[in-house]
Amino acid sequence: MKSKIRKNSVFIANFIVLFLILVTYLSIQINEIEFYRQMAYDEAIKDAELTARDINDSLNGFVIEQRVVSQMMSNDMFLKEWCHSETGETAGQNVYSLYSYLREYKNIYGYDVVFFISDSTKNYYYDGGFNKTLDENDDFDSWYFNFLTLHQPYDMQVDHDEVNDNQVSLFVNCLVQDKGFQTLGVVGVGNNMNSFQRQVAEYEKEYGVEISVVNIGNAHNSFKGSTGYYKTAEQVAEQFGVSEEELCQNVGDEGLSLTKDNRCISIQHNNELNWNIIVQKDITNRINSIMDRVIKRFGIVALFIVVYMAFSVTLMRKLNRLNRKAENTDDLTGLLNNKIFSENFERERKKKNHKQMTVSLFMLDVDDFKIFNDTYGHLYGNTVLKIVADGLKETVENTGVVARWGGDEFIGVYFGSPEETLEKLNSLLEEIKGIETNKTITCSCGIAQVDLSENLEKNMGRADKALYTSKENGKGQCTIYEKK
C-alpha cells in the first residue's frame, strides 16, 4: 500500500509539474500571439493609412492643375464674349478662334483634350474642331446634363474620351457663367489615367497592399465600368468583403480604418474629386508566420514533455521495481518474504493453465537453530540461514519459487511431483550437512502435493504435518505428506 501511495505521489507530482509547465508556456504563447497579432494589425493599419494619404496627395497633384486650368478658362473673358457672339456654325472665322483658343491650352499643358460645350447650342467643341451636338436622350451625353443639375462650379469624373478613341480619362468640368450667373456652357480638360495607374501600381508593390478608388458623389455619366484601380462601389465591396455603405460613407478628413478577419482597410476621402480611396493590407501571411513559429516552439515543448514523461515513467517503473523488490525481499537471505509468496501463490493457483500441472509445496526449517544463536551468536545464526537460503535458491532455480517464511522456516513451490521434489531436497540436505561449520547443519522438510482448489493455508497444513513427521523421525530428513 505504501509503495502504491508513493508511486501515485510521484506520478501526481510529475503531472502537476508538467501541467504547470504547459499552462505557463501556453499563457506566454497566447500573450505573445496576441501581442504580435496586435502589432501586425497596427503596422498594417498604419501602412494602409499612409498609402491612402500618399495616394490622396498624388491625386490632388494629378487633378489640381487640371482644375485650376479649367477654372481659369471658365473665368476667361474671351470665352464668355465668344459665347455671346456664337452663331452655331461649326466652321468659319468665329468658331476657328475658339478652336485656336482651346488648342493653345492643350499645347501649353499637354492635355489629351480641351473642350467647350455651349449651353445655347449644345455643340461640343474641342481643340481639334467640332465633335457633335449633345443629345439629352443620349446616354453618353448624360454627364453634361447631370452636371448642370448639381449646381456646382466644377466637377471631376472618369469617363470615355470620345475624341481620343474612347480612352478612359479623368475630366475636370467647370461651369461658365456670365455676370448675371446665367449658364453659358461647360469648359474642361481631359487627361488619360495611365500615369496615375502606374503610380498606384508602384504603391501596391512597395507597401504590399491592394488599392481601389470609388466615386461617391460626382455627376453620373455613361461610364459604368472600371479602369484599373478606379472601380464601382459594387466591385470594390465584393473585392474587399465590405458593404457598399461602408465604402461610400463620408469619412471626413481623418478617414476611417476597418479590420476584417486578417485584413486591415483604410478609407480616405479626396475632396477635390469627391472620391474615396480604399487601401487594404492583408496580414494573413504575417499571422501564419507567427503561428508557424508558435507551433514549432510548441512542438519542441511537446517533444520535451514526451521525453520527460518517457524518462519519468521509465525511472518510476525502475524505482517501483526496486521498491517492490525491497519491500517483498527478505533483507538477510535475499529470498521473497512470506507476504509476496502468499500473494503470488493465490494468484498463480487461480490461473487456468496451472490446473493440469503437478506442483509440490515444501516447508523446511533448520534443526536446533536456537543452539546456533545461543552458542555462537546471532551473527553466526544469520550465516547459517544464508547458507540454507542460497542452497534452496540453487536447488529450485527456474523450476520453482522459494521464500523465507519467518525465523528459520522456509517455504517453496517446486514444479514437479512430490517424489521429484523429495529427490532434489534430499540432495540439498546432504550438501548442507557436508559444509564445515562449528556444528553440523541439518534441516527437516515436509512435502505435499498442491491442491490448486485450496488456498495456501490448507496446502501449508499438509506440508507442515509432513515437516513434523520428519522432526519426529529424527530430523535431518524430508517427508512426503500421506493422507491417513
Side-chain angles (χ1 to χ4, degrees), residues 356-388:
Q356 305 302 320
M357 291 179 61
T358 300
V359 181
S360 298
L361 177 72
F362 65 86
M363 295 189 69
L364 179 148
D365 71 6
V366 180
D367 295 330
D368 304 318
F369 180 70
K370 189 173 184 301
I371 294 175
F372 286 100
N373 282 337
D374 293 346
T375 304
Y376 306 107
H378 288 283
L379 290 178
Y380 193 86
N382 289 344
T383 302
V384 171
L385 292 176
K386 190 74 169 61
I387 290 171
V388 174

Side-chain angles (χ1 to χ4, degrees), residues 361 363 448 455-466 481:
L361 177 72
M363 295 189 69
N455 61 24
L456 177 61
E457 184 180 356
K458 291 182 178 180
N459 281 285
M460 281 181 63
R462 289 190 289 274
D464 196 43
K465 287 180 180 179
Y481 171 77

Side-chain angles (χ1 to χ4, degrees), residues 299-333:
I300 293 172
V301 172
L303 180 62
F304 165 77
I305 290 174
V306 169
V307 171
Y308 179 82
M309 284 296 293
F311 175 78
S312 297
V313 169
T314 302
L315 183 61
M316 280 192 292
R317 285 178 177 173
K318 188 172 182 179
L319 290 174
N320 286 333
R321 283 197 299 268
L322 293 174
N323 289 335
R324 185 172 176 81
K325 184 177 180 181
E327 290 174 354
N328 297 321
T329 301
D330 180 63
D331 292 335
L332 175 63
T333 63

Side-chain angles (χ1 to χ4, degrees), residues 409-466:
E409 291 183 327
F410 298 88
I411 189 170
V413 168
Y414 187 81
F415 301 129
S417 67
E419 291 74 20
E420 292 172 329
T421 308
L422 178 66
E423 182 181 350
K424 284 279 187 180
L425 292 176
N426 277 336
S427 176
L428 172 63
L429 295 185
E430 290 300 318
E431 184 180 329
I432 292 174
K433 280 182 185 179
I435 297 174
E436 292 185 7
T437 56
N438 292 337
K439 180 182 181 301
T440 301
I441 303 172
T442 63
C443 298
S444 297
C445 180
I447 305 168
Q449 183 170 327
V450 174
D451 185 346
L452 295 176
S453 65
E454 294 181 342
N455 61 24
L456 177 61
E457 184 180 356
K458 291 182 178 180
N459 281 285
M460 281 181 63
R462 289 190 289 274
D464 196 43
K465 287 180 180 179

